[in-house]
Amino acid sequence: MTKKTIILVCFVLLKFLLQYLLVNNEYDLHRDEYLHLDQANHLAWGYQSLPPVTSWISYIIKLLGNTIFWIKFFPALFGALTIVVVWKAIETLNGNLFALILGATCVLFSALLKLNFFYQPTSLDVLAWTTLYFVLIKYFQSENSKWLYVGSIVFAIGFLNKYDIVFLVIGLLPALLVAEQRKIFFKKSLYYSMLLAVLFILPNLIWQYNNNFPVYHHLNELAKTQLVNVSRWDFLQQQLFYSVGSLLVFAAALYALLFYEPFKKYQFLFWSIIFTLLLFVYLRAKGYYALGLYPIYITFGSVFLGNILNSGWKKHLKLITIAVPVLFYLLLFNVFFTNNSPDYVIKNERVFKSLGLLRWEDGKDHLLPQDVADMLGWQELAQKVDSVYHTLPDKNQTLILCDNYGQAGAINYYTSNKGLKAVSFNADYVNWFNLNAKIENFIRVKEFKGSENELAETAPFFATAYAADSVTNSSAREYKTKIFVFTKPNIDINLRLKAEVERKKHFR
């Protein structure tokens, strides 16, 4: 192996090592991770909030044993591949060894360390964005049409993973029009490659059509319940926070794309980030939606700094330039990552609040960061539901109905009874009811808010009814979630379920 290859391998290995070191055993999985893992049991060409790629990866994880190691492996892998793509992009731009090390360091010690901790489609999304930009660099460098077809495949994979990649294209089109690279629109191969991309994503588009475009309803609900609470100013502040260790490199990239002659053919990328960020600001997007933008700009900044710091007294600035992202990582280690206990966060509330980390998607500050509260209480809930389940007669005729997808997914993940499947009217679970199964026992998992009248409202329809248990972890978002048990129904539960499922599907 060459010296460069050995260094790249070291970065990749360090990436995996850091991702596993960030796993704190006090935490369960994140509520979203349980849903994604459960999709492996219901493979389809689409889901309410996601395209199908995540379910395919979940199926692989299931075959490998559904262990924490493999759940954390794939986001770490996508993060490592993002470093590799940045490395190859720097080589394509003729960056020197310093540029390669600087670029890899900036990507390694960045917000991606936290993003790649979670088994969510965002890690592959960032990789897809970075790779698509890289393919465009290769195309405009060589003007070889094969790269347009490669780009169509990358776009299709990105689209089938997360629809957000459409924002990349929306920001890219006007950027190409205002730059010299607008001549690409006169290439027949561009439209052939676009047609190829459509063919790849067509099964998902057909699924969306057949299911009344649930993605539209999901985005509409997201805008009304979450994005409406996002401050545009906070979004911009978050961009600085996420890339604070690489600001010098990023600023160098923007300057170089405008004024550095060797980068003239890539000037469209300067306008692309402007248009894309403006789009995100207009839509009140969450801060992490834009993370896919930055790795490719680190590429240009690293190459530019590698060239201008290569002679005279400037050589002495190289070590400092590489040390900055590492230093900021160390400074933020105890507040930005989920490596500390909930008690540590609570004791240092002032620091977390000053950085905006206690603000949830409802726009309010809470005791813990939302992603921390979303990783607590799940095993406790599942174990208590399991315990209740074992006390029931006719166990195989039990329905477990939850308020949200996190509850249902966690119960299905942790349960020791493999035939046990919790459902919910929330998210994709509304499609996963077995409406023909005979029901003799009804376990109702109810969020604390709204659980006060559950017994009074539901007990008349059953011979026995009681509150069995609740979540006692006060740090968990599911704190005080209650478990109710109802047995021997005197009504046709299946008929009511069918009506409610149809109602939820109709109004989603």
Side-chain angles (χ1 to χ4, degrees), residues 312-363:
W313 62 270
K314 297 176 183 176
K315 286 184 177 180
H316 302 293
L317 297 177
K318 285 184 175 181
L319 184 59
I320 297 174
T321 307
I322 291 176
V324 168
V326 181
L327 178 61
F328 274 101
Y329 164 78
L330 294 174
L331 289 173
L332 294 173
F333 182 76
N334 284 325
V335 294
F336 190 56
F337 303 100
T338 50
N339 54 295
N340 284 309
S341 68
D343 289 340
Y344 175 88
V345 179
I346 294 171
K347 289 177 182 177
N348 294 274
E349 177 187 3
R350 184 181 301 176
V351 176
F352 285 84
K353 187 173 183 178
S354 67
L355 294 171
L357 297 175
L358 299 182
R359 190 171 302 118
W360 288 16
E361 58 197 19
D362 60 6

Side-chain angles (χ1 to χ4, degrees), residues 247-432:
L247 283 180
L248 173 63
V249 180
F250 182 68
L254 295 182
Y255 173 85
L257 285 167
L258 275 182
F259 303 112
Y260 190 50
E261 186 62 28
F263 291 168
K264 187 176 181 180
K265 64 176 67 174
Y266 311 114
Q267 196 174 87
F268 70 93
L269 287 171
F270 174 86
W271 301 109
S272 179
I273 193 171
I274 299 298
F275 288 127
T276 307
L277 285 175
L278 285 175
L279 177 64
F280 280 139
V281 169
Y282 172 75
L283 294 174
R284 294 179 180 271
K286 296 180 182 180
Y288 70 87
Y289 287 7
L291 284 177
L293 283 168
Y294 302 115
I296 207 64
Y297 292 90
I298 287 174
T299 295
F300 285 93
S302 298
V303 174
F304 177 67
L305 291 174
N307 291 338
I308 67 170
L309 298 180
N310 210 30
S311 61
W313 62 270
K314 297 176 183 176
K315 286 184 177 180
H316 302 293
L317 297 177
K318 285 184 175 181
L319 184 59
I320 297 174
T321 307
I322 291 176
V324 168
V326 181
L327 178 61
F328 274 101
Y329 164 78
L330 294 174
L331 289 173
L332 294 173
F333 182 76
N334 284 325
V335 294
F336 190 56
F337 303 100
T338 50
N339 54 295
N340 284 309
S341 68
D343 289 340
Y344 175 88
V345 179
I346 294 171
K347 289 177 182 177
N348 294 274
E349 177 187 3
R350 184 181 301 176
V351 176
F352 285 84
K353 187 173 183 178
S354 67
L355 294 171
L357 297 175
L358 299 182
R359 190 171 302 118
W360 288 16
E361 58 197 19
D362 60 6
K364 301 176 182 178
D365 284 338
H366 294 260
L367 193 62
L368 293 173
Q370 183 169 319
D371 54 9
V372 172
D374 275 336
M375 292 189 293
L376 295 166
W378 302 115
Q379 288 195 61
E380 179 191 353
L381 172 65
Q383 289 167 0
K384 288 182 174 178
V385 169
D386 249 11
S387 178
V388 168
Y389 174 80
H390 281 300
T391 67
L392 299 175
D394 303 316
K395 295 181 181 60
N396 60 342
Q397 296 175 3
T398 301
L399 170 69
I400 303 175
L401 180 62
C402 303
D403 266 359
N404 62 62
Y405 64 82
Q407 297 166 348
I411 291 168
N412 293 341
Y413 179 78
Y414 289 114
T415 182
S416 59
N417 305 285
K418 296 309 175 185
L420 193 63
K421 293 297 177 186
V423 289
S424 173
F425 293 121
N426 180 235
D428 295 294
Y429 285 95
V430 73
N431 296 315
W432 300 343

